[in-house]
Amino acid sequence: MPICRVLIVEDHPFQRYCLLSQFNQIADVSVEAVADGCIALDRLRQSHYDLVISDLMMPNMDGVQLIQELALLAHKPALALMSTLPERVLLSASQVARFAGFKVLALLCKPLGVEALRALIEQVPDAHAAASDAEPWVHTPDRRSLVMALRRGQMRAWFQPKQCLRRRRIVAAEALARWEHPELGVLLPAQFLPAMIQHNLESGLLSTVIKQTVQAQSRWRRHGHQVKVSINLPTHLLDDGHLADRLLKQVKAQGGEAQDIGFELLENSTVRNEGNYYANACRLRFKGFGLAQDDFGSGYSSYFNLASTPYNELKIDRSLITGCLENHCLASTVGSIVALGRKLGMTVVAEGVETDREMAFLERVECHQVQGFLISPAVPWRQFEQLLVAQDHGG
Ligand code: C2E
Ligand code: CA
Ligand code: CA
């Protein structure tokens, strides 16, 4: 294993001494410590470190200023932030780092034990492996290639299960778009959705996803599986006063039923006609479609929107679930969102569940459903069917 180079930035002499001696007990680590952000910056300009573990409150240059200065360096080390300040300050400082493009491995409350440091070192990405695992760089697709991909059926709906926490069974799915590119392999929305938005092709994508969803549902139904699927609906499409009618017409034309389909809406500021937004939201529900508030708790969601739109489902954003076990503020926030969703009569779904411990926590706070890599990532319809078959056979 290559040596992991660690730089400790801590103004308090005793804390610095403790950290140094704890890191020295860990194999394959080479550790240095400095007392101040300015000295740290000099070291980092001259030499490569894999991990910087920094205090926040320091004289001369504090931890936040240090992060902002480090952002200008070509090589970004992984970061861990530590403090005796309240957890919310740590969380806030970590956002500074994330927005500057750093990988933040941990937020640590002092004092730290050697086991916490060992766990931290295990998370440090191996710089050599990281370089070879990196996603292939893809050109921004032009309009023509996107249109051709839609026409040739390369834009596919994959399905990620939503599992009922009480029954531990898959009860629904979310359709997620994948571009099955003949040369580049399977591309994620981050690699093509911005271009689709730019070229005004979201309606085309929506039609494709609806069509494939209804098809998949009818295949699953033939084998005795009734699965509701929700589809991501760009909120600004609700500006079109006829959207609800059009969507029902399309679903019917493909042989589907509104009751089996839901739409996930992000609240955002791009709606031009608020009247049409609400009219479409109401009318989608009148027709039997489900309606979910997506990514609740992330940047865009507001309580007024939640209370005034006829949602039947509330999806808690992954940013609140990730790290909620290590952070009381996040845990309390998730707990109260679940309680709020339940009070409003909605099904509450937690997104981005990756560990058994997160799942157990969500069960304790009485969340209804979970979605995340712990259950399964999004998969093609046939593989999704295998998940359903496996659970029927007790798998
Ligand atoms: P979203 O609607 O919030 O979808 C959830 C995203 O989280 C998906 O990313 C999913 O693969 C990912 N995810 C699920 N579980 C986990 C987990 O446990 N850990 C982690 N790290 N990630 C998890 P994906 O498929 O890359 O989609 C990204 C976004 O692209 C979606 O976010 C949605 O806003 C948009 N999108 C996807 N499909 C469509 C589509 O058909 N139409 C439109 N308009 N947008 C879509
Ligand atoms: Ca979604
Ligand atoms: Ca989401």
Side-chain angles (χ1 to χ4, degrees), residues 192-303:
F192 62 85
L193 201 57
M196 291 214 120
I197 294 169
Q198 188 195 337
H199 296 298
N200 219 350
L201 291 169
E202 285 166 289
S203 294
L205 179 65
L206 179 63
S207 299
T208 299
V209 173
I210 291 178
K211 184 172 165 197
Q212 294 178 34
T213 296
V214 172
Q215 251 170 20
Q217 286 176 314
S218 93
R219 286 164 172 156
W220 298 330
R221 205 176 304 114
R222 264 184 253 142
H223 296 98
H225 300 290
Q226 191 81 23
V227 185
K228 289 190 190 233
V229 176
S230 53
I231 293 171
N232 290 288
L233 176 59
T235 312
H236 69 91
L237 296 184
L238 276 72
D239 273 332
D240 166 7
H242 301 291
L243 182 78
D245 299 303
R246 253 203 273 281
L247 291 177
L248 183 66
K249 200 167 151 206
Q250 196 195 343
V251 168
K252 290 264 185 215
Q254 312 282 346
E257 293 294 337
Q259 291 80 267
D260 297 331
I261 306 265
F263 291 102
E264 299 192 359
L265 290 183
L266 290 170
E267 189 204 347
N268 60 30
S269 51
T270 56
V271 183
R272 268 178 288 135
N273 187 327
E274 299 247 6
N276 280 357
Y277 163 83
Y278 283 108
N280 271 313
C282 291
R283 300 192 58 244
L284 283 169
R285 297 287 284 132
F286 297 161
K287 292 174 192 304
F289 290 112
L291 209 56
Q293 155 95 78
D294 207 355
D295 294 357
F296 189 74
S298 71
Y300 293 121
S301 40
S302 80
Y303 287 107

Side-chain angles (χ1 to χ4, degrees), residues 89-109:
V89 183
L90 266 171
L91 197 55
S92 193
S94 77
Q95 290 298 91
V96 177
R98 291 203 169 101
F99 281 112
F102 287 96
K103 195 169 172 64
V104 183
L105 299 185
L107 304 180
L108 305 161
C109 295

Side-chain angles (χ1 to χ4, degrees), residues 55 67 74 90 99 124 126 129 141 158 161 167-168 171 179 183 207 213 215 221 246 250 279 281 298 303 349:
D55 187 20
I67 295 166
L90 266 171
F99 281 112
V124 176
D126 175 352
W158 285 24
R167 293 190 290 142
R168 296 284 161 129
V171 287
W179 182 354
E183 281 112 44
S207 299
T213 296
Q215 251 170 20
R221 205 176 304 114
R246 253 203 273 281
Q250 196 195 343
S298 71
Y303 287 107
V349 183

